Amino acid sequence: MVKISLKTLKNRAKKEIEKAKDLKRLNEIFNKYLGKKGELTKILRSLEKLPKTKRMKVGKTANELKNFLKTEFEKKTQVIKKKIGKATEEVEWLDITAPGKKPLIGSLHPLTLVKRKIEEIFQSMGFSVVEGPEMENEWYNFDALNIPKEHPARDRWDTFYLKNGLLLRTHTSPVQVRYMEKNNPPLRIIVPGTVFRHEATDASHEFQHYQIEGLMVDKKNSVANLKAIVGEFFRRFFEKNVEFRLKPDYFPFTEPSFDIGISCLVCNGKGCPACKGSGWMEVAGAGMVHPNVFKNSKLIPKDWQGWAFGFGLERLAMLKYKINDIRLFRSGDLRFLKQF
Ligand code: PHE
């Protein structure tokens, strides 16, 4: 009787184990047969009631069955675990040998590069970097620089007048006065900054651009000093010897005044469309500080000699990197910006 039941029990259990889909179900089946109150456990316990010979024979089969089922459970557990592992592996698959994704790294804007380079060069020659407001008043932008109201020179620096009575500065020269009011000479400064002009935009004009003002004031200071400093700046900025010249010009705040031109970098001074055939390119305005500017800065003109210059930063960048359109700088075009 027990023998038959052991055989059917074995088949039944085997089938159930085979069918089990997950560990929970497998555990239920285990308890059903081998748990404390499991069917096989009960049979094993009842063995003691049997006569000795029978007990030994049935006992052996029952124990074999027990071991058999245990291995079956063990095998099935492994199969299910493997399946689960594979499933999660498929979801969380990670190829640790794949090359990493490079994050997009931006680069500095060409104008920033040029500005930093210029600052570095002048700082190494003892100049301090100073800044001033972009929203300026009429006094500093014009009057203090010897450009009175109704003076025709104001047309050259037409600007945007703001509702608050201020204007957008047209050059960095107002900072000359602002700085000299507060600092006694001898002094050497450069003033990088944005300036604005009421001007139509074309390949070489923008209504907004960058300037670098330079100012050096001392007891004895001359055009020769200006030429020496500017020449050294060109050499270091363009990393080669460049010829340059001072051409007479007019600015109300300097006397005498000059246009600084460098020998055209495109044709090496022979004459080409870029320099309109002249062989020279104008890059800055300059001159000796006008006595009225000293006066307006609360300095006694006869005590001091100074020179000033104003470079267009875009111009310098265009020459250094051979850029042919000023509008590219503020176009936001990545094909342009990625080259720097
Ligand atoms: N501020 C002048 C301009 O914007 C340039 C300049 C600066 C000229 C200093 C002379 C001295 O055109």
Side-chain angles (χ1 to χ4, degrees):
M1 175 65 196
V2 179
K3 209 174 174 186
I4 296 167
S5 69
L6 276 181
K7 208 168 180 185
T8 42
L9 192 141
K10 181 178 174 179
N11 289 335
R12 207 162 19 98
K14 218 176 127 186
K15 260 192 200 142
E16 280 177 34
I17 292 169
E18 264 166 31
K19 270 199 206 155
K21 289 224 168 66
D22 51 38
L23 294 174
K24 190 175 163 248
R25 174 75 194 126
L26 199 62
N27 200 37
E28 277 167 17
I29 303 167
F30 183 90
N31 285 335
K32 184 175 166 195
Y33 293 99
L34 296 173
K36 262 189 194 165
K37 288 177 187 167
E39 289 180 37
L40 188 59
T41 319
K42 270 187 195 160
I43 293 172
L44 283 166
R45 278 209 199 111
S46 66
L47 286 178
E48 55 194 51
K49 290 174 198 149
L50 292 177
K52 200 179 173 193
T53 42
K54 206 163 183 195
R55 192 192 326 159
M56 279 182 40
K57 219 173 147 199
V58 183
K60 197 172 162 235
T61 335
N63 268 316
E64 273 169 9
L65 178 56
K66 187 181 170 185
N67 287 335
F68 171 79
L69 288 182
K70 271 191 174 167
T71 2
E72 287 299 296
F73 276 118
E74 195 45 47
K75 273 198 237 160
K76 185 69 182 182
T77 308
Q78 290 312 325
V79 171
I80 293 177
K81 274 191 179 164
K82 227 180 187 169
K83 253 194 200 158
I84 297 171
K86 253 196 189 147
T88 45
E89 221 173 69
E90 266 163 31
V91 178
E92 294 171 6
W93 184 80
L94 172 72
D95 181 0
I96 55 161
T97 64
K101 275 189 198 145
K102 270 201 185 150
L104 269 179
I105 297 174
S107 55
L108 289 176
H109 193 279
L111 289 177
T112 306
L113 291 173
V114 165
K115 182 176 158 241
R116 289 191 182 176
K117 179 86 187 156
I118 296 172
E119 287 173 356
E120 185 191 309
I121 295 170
F122 278 102
Q123 279 177 319
S124 79
M125 294 197 278
F127 285 72
S128 311
V129 180
V130 172
E131 288 188 349
E134 288 172 11
M135 219 169 33
E136 191 50 283
N137 62 31
E138 249 184 279
W139 167 255
Y140 284 113
N141 198 77
F142 294 121
D143 303 78
L145 292 170
N146 206 28
I147 318 171
K149 248 199 173 75
E150 315 305 339
H151 191 289
R154 283 213 181 185
D155 291 348
R156 189 167 168 180
W157 291 282
D158 194 12
T159 188
F160 301 94
Y161 289 86
L162 307 172
K163 282 188 181 141
N164 60 8
L166 299 176
L167 49 81
L168 294 182
R169 67 174 176 194
T170 54
H171 45 185
T172 40
S173 300
V175 189
Q176 289 186 30
V177 181
R178 282 182 176 276
Y179 191 78
M180 285 193 286
E181 277 178 343
K182 296 212 172 83
N183 301 272
N184 281 328
L187 53 88
R188 282 181 235 190
I189 56 165
I190 55 162
V191 186
T194 307
V195 303
F196 307 84
R197 304 266 164 107
H198 185 215
E199 211 164 84
T201 301
D202 66 26
S204 51
H205 296 90
E206 269 271 38
F207 66 84
Q208 177 191 345
H209 69 274
Y210 251 116
Q211 276 192 342
I212 297 255
E213 190 86 5
L215 175 69
M216 180 171 174
V217 180
D218 212 324
K219 290 261 181 244
K220 276 209 163 303
N221 198 12
S222 69
V223 177
N225 296 103
L226 168 67
K227 278 188 78 175
I229 297 276
V230 165
E232 181 60 18
F233 163 66
F234 285 144
R235 242 186 318 281
R236 294 208 212 162
F237 182 74
F238 292 111
E239 286 159 350
K240 61 178 174 195
N241 276 329
V242 280
E243 258 194 84
F244 69 99
R245 69 172 183 188
L246 301 189
K247 204 178 77 175
D249 198 351
Y250 171 72
F251 297 102
F253 37 96
T254 46
E255 182 59 39
S257 302
F258 312 101
D259 236 326
I260 302 179
I262 59 171
S263 150
C264 178
L265 295 173
V266 180
C267 62
N268 285 322
K270 287 187 199 80
C272 69
C275 59
K276 298 191 185 91
S278 73
W280 296 93
M281 279 182 167
E282 311 301 348
V283 288
M288 298 306 292
V289 178
H290 194 286
N292 286 349
V293 177
F294 279 138
K295 234 184 263 168
N296 291 333
S297 310
K298 317 277 187 302
L299 291 175
I300 301 164
K302 68 172 173 37
D303 286 353
W304 303 106
Q305 294 182 329
W307 51 252
F309 62 67
F311 276 98
L313 208 77
E314 280 83 353
R315 252 292 163 85
L316 290 177
M318 287 167 88
L319 290 170
K320 188 169 168 75
Y321 297 123
K322 310 225 180 310
I323 298 162
N324 59 11
D325 195 325
I326 198 170
R327 290 166 293 194
L328 283 167
F329 290 118
R330 289 179 175 81
S331 65
D333 191 332
L334 288 178
R335 288 169 305 177
F336 169 68
L337 296 171
K338 272 185 182 161
Q339 298 173 52
F340 299 93

